[in-house]
Amino acid sequence: KIIIEKTFNDYLTFNKLDKENYEKFFPTSQLFTEYGIKISVGSSSKLDTLKVGIVNSKTILNHSISSMKDKPVLNYERFDEINHILNQSLKRQKADLIIFPEISVPYQWLPHLTVFSKKNNVAIICGLEHLATGKKAPKEVLNYVATILPFKYKNYSNALVDLRLKKDYSPDEIKEIEGRKNFKVPVAKMKSEKLRLYKWNSTSFSVFNCFELADIR
């Protein structure tokens, strides 16, 4: 019992947690319209300011095409660049929310971004490179946007990871996918996908993925 208590106290110390003043919270979600889901994450306390860091980086289409073909580009240079962006967003910009461009992050690095989010209590929105799913051709090509929202529950730092499929692929995107052998656009999945309304630490926002802004609804 003494060892368990000491381990728990060490955990609180290492993670800079206060055992006496710790708000319990767990993510909740609910369908609030025919088209959308409301997801609530974080404490009820309001932020005085919300500093948003928008990543200005070059997105290389061939990287996403490689991911679509199950051959993602996962070299050290790319990983180092993403780490540099994350660290600079905290140290220099002191961002509360970091936004990456569409199809800019390999799916394989999503766990790394999640750990960074919950460790530093910073939200991250990023477009994942195209993924192809299915055992038989033509495979459906998925374009996901990931929203990572950190929160604390009891004495644990955690993060909600929500993946939403892009509802409106651009004409060029469709041409690029269906112009290649053995790939297709996931029309049925796109129609059934729900938009999101996030409430994170009493700040409400939604996420639109590029061509979705052209949808008047």
Side-chain angles (χ1 to χ4, degrees):
K1 185 178 179 180
I2 295 175
I3 294 176
I4 293 175
E5 185 174 340
K6 182 181 184 306
T7 303
F8 178 68
N9 289 332
D10 286 344
Y11 173 84
L12 295 176
T13 301
F14 297 152
N15 289 277
K16 300 179 181 179
L17 302 177
D18 186 349
K19 184 163 60 173
E20 301 300 326
N21 301 306
Y22 202 88
E23 185 173 359
K24 298 179 180 180
F25 193 89
F26 199 76
T28 61
S29 65
Q30 65 182 88
L31 185 69
F32 74 99
T33 72
E34 179 185 353
Y35 306 108
I37 299 172
K38 181 178 180 181
I39 298 176
S40 299
V41 185
S43 68
S44 59
S45 59
K46 294 183 179 180
L47 296 174
D48 293 330
T49 60
L50 180 67
K51 199 162 188 179
V52 179
I54 300 176
V55 176
N56 181 14
S57 65
K58 186 176 181 180
T59 300
I60 301 175
L61 178 60
N62 284 337
H63 284 171
S64 195
I65 293 174
S66 295
S67 286
M68 185 171 70
K69 295 179 177 179
D70 200 23
K71 296 178 180 179
V73 180
L74 304 174
N75 56 46
Y76 174 79
E77 287 76 16
R78 289 195 72 195
F79 192 66
D80 184 60
E81 179 185 3
I82 286 181
N83 278 324
H84 179 73
I85 290 170
L86 291 172
N87 290 327
Q88 290 300 307
S89 296
L90 284 186
K91 293 178 181 178
R92 301 186 69 175
Q93 276 69 45
K94 301 187 185 304
D96 302 298
L97 171 62
I98 303 171
I99 303 176
F100 284 84
E102 182 183 5
I103 60 169
S104 63
V105 177
Y107 176 80
Q108 290 80 0
W109 290 346
L110 188 57
H112 176 69
L113 267 66
T114 303
V115 170
F116 183 92
S117 171
K118 67 180 181 179
K119 180 180 178 181
N120 296 285
N121 194 35
V122 58
I124 298 174
I125 299 171
C126 60
L128 301 180
E129 292 177 350
H130 287 96
L131 292 169
T133 182
K135 296 181 179 180
K136 296 181 180 180
K139 295 184 177 182
E140 291 185 324
V141 178
L142 309 177
N143 182 341
Y144 280 114
V145 57
T147 302
I148 309 170
L149 303 175
F151 68 94
K152 289 181 171 59
Y153 180 66
K154 294 184 178 179
N155 292 302
Y156 298 94
S157 295
N158 213 325
L160 170 79
V161 180
D162 183 54
L163 299 181
R164 181 178 70 77
L165 181 65
K166 185 178 180 181
K167 288 183 65 66
D168 295 291
Y169 285 29
S170 71
D172 285 345
E173 185 177 11
I174 295 172
K175 183 179 178 180
E176 189 70 42
I177 293 170
E178 298 192 338
R180 298 176 182 276
K181 187 177 180 181
N182 299 330
F183 296 109
K184 67 177 182 179
V185 173
V187 177
K189 287 186 176 68
M190 291 161 61
K191 288 183 177 179
S192 63
E193 187 67 48
K194 304 292 185 184
L195 294 173
R196 310 289 202 268
L197 175 62
Y198 299 102
K199 186 176 182 182
W200 177 62
N201 294 339
S202 296
T203 298
S204 297
F205 65 93
S206 189
V207 177
F208 291 92
N209 195 346
C210 193
F211 200 73
E212 290 172 346
L213 289 172
D215 186 342
I216 192 65
R217 187 178 65 198

